[in-house]
């Protein structure tokens, strides 16, 4: 089948979840070598665009999906049963793309190429910080052990930047991913061993 992946999450037990972007209406559970395991879950809120990036909340065992065009709420998905109906809807001013979770504080990061801003928010949807990064944010992944936030751009060239959250989100480096075309950046995730998946 021809797929257009965007969101990616890596759950406990070593299962990678890849989601369709831009009009498709299902999630795919995949193993690392790309073989589809199942189950397949529908996006029950019927998004017109997206969804965009995913993140895994290791504290609850749930995947969160960044909506696009629906106030950019994030939607909770149970890997076993599908969309739960639980949403978090912060009051940001533009549609978001990237999503990451910090298990130590129970907070989330969201960012967008629409305005280059990065937001940190809690489970109630309260925005705790907003930082101007001037990056074309498409995907996010957070390493809680190092305090580094990885930002996948959708730009030319297509780079991944490393931000130091403890130092006012200062950019400390960046790197390309071999084989990624210009404007090819989408979802980003970090697994339990610290490897990034894109």
């Amino acid at each position: 089948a021809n797929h257009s992946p965007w969101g990616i999450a890596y759950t406990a037990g070593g299962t990678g979840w890849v989601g369709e972007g831009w009009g498709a209406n299902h999630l795919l559970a995949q193993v690392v070598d790309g073989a589809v395991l199942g189950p397949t879950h529908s996006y029950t809120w019927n998004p017109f665009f997206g969804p965009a990036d995913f993140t895994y909340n290791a504290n609850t065992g749930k995947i969160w999906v960044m909506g696009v065009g629906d106030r950019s709420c994030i939607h909770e998905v149970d890997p076993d049963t599908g969309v739960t109906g639980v949403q978090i809807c912060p009051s940001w001013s533009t549609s978001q793309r990237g999503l990451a979770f910090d298990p130590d504080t129970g907070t989330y990061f969201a960012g967008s190429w629409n305005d280059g801003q990065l937001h940190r928010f809690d489970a109630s949807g309260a925005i705790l910080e907003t930082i101007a990064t001037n990056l074309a944010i498409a995907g996010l992944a957070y390493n809680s052990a190092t305090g580094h936030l990885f930002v996948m751009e959708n730009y030319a060239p297509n780079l991944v930047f490393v931000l130091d959250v403890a130092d006012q989100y200062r950019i400390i480096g960046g790197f390309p991913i071999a084989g990624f075309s210009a404007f090819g950046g989408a979802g980003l995730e970090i697994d339990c061993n610290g490897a990034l998946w894109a």
Side-chain angles (χ1 to χ4, degrees), residues 108-110 118-121 126-131 165 168-169:
Y108 297 84
F109 301 94
L118 181 70
H119 308 279
R120 189 170 193 160
F121 60 100
I127 296 176
L128 308 175
E129 295 178 292
T130 296
I131 306 295
V165 172
Q168 300 178 359
Y169 298 85

Side-chain angles (χ1 to χ4, degrees), residues 105-180:
T105 63
T107 59
Y108 297 84
F109 301 94
S112 176
W113 64 55
N114 290 312
D115 60 6
Q117 291 189 334
L118 181 70
H119 308 279
R120 189 170 193 160
F121 60 100
D122 65 19
S124 75
I127 296 176
L128 308 175
E129 295 178 292
T130 296
I131 306 295
T133 67
N134 297 316
L135 298 174
I137 300 169
L140 296 170
Y142 183 64
N143 185 333
S144 61
T146 64
H148 293 158
L149 182 66
F150 295 87
V151 177
M152 168 69 80
E153 279 203 295
N154 185 281
Y155 201 64
N158 207 100
L159 301 175
V160 175
F161 287 92
V162 186
L163 281 60
D164 185 348
V165 172
D167 189 10
Q168 300 178 359
Y169 298 85
R170 178 177 58 89
I171 296 175
I172 58 176
F175 56 90
I177 299 176
F180 269 60

Side-chain angles (χ1 to χ4, degrees), residues 11-34:
T11 60
T15 300
W17 289 79
V18 178
E20 296 284 340
W22 304 117
N25 195 34
H26 52 276
L27 303 170
L28 300 176
Q30 297 186 331
V31 293
V32 172
D33 66 4

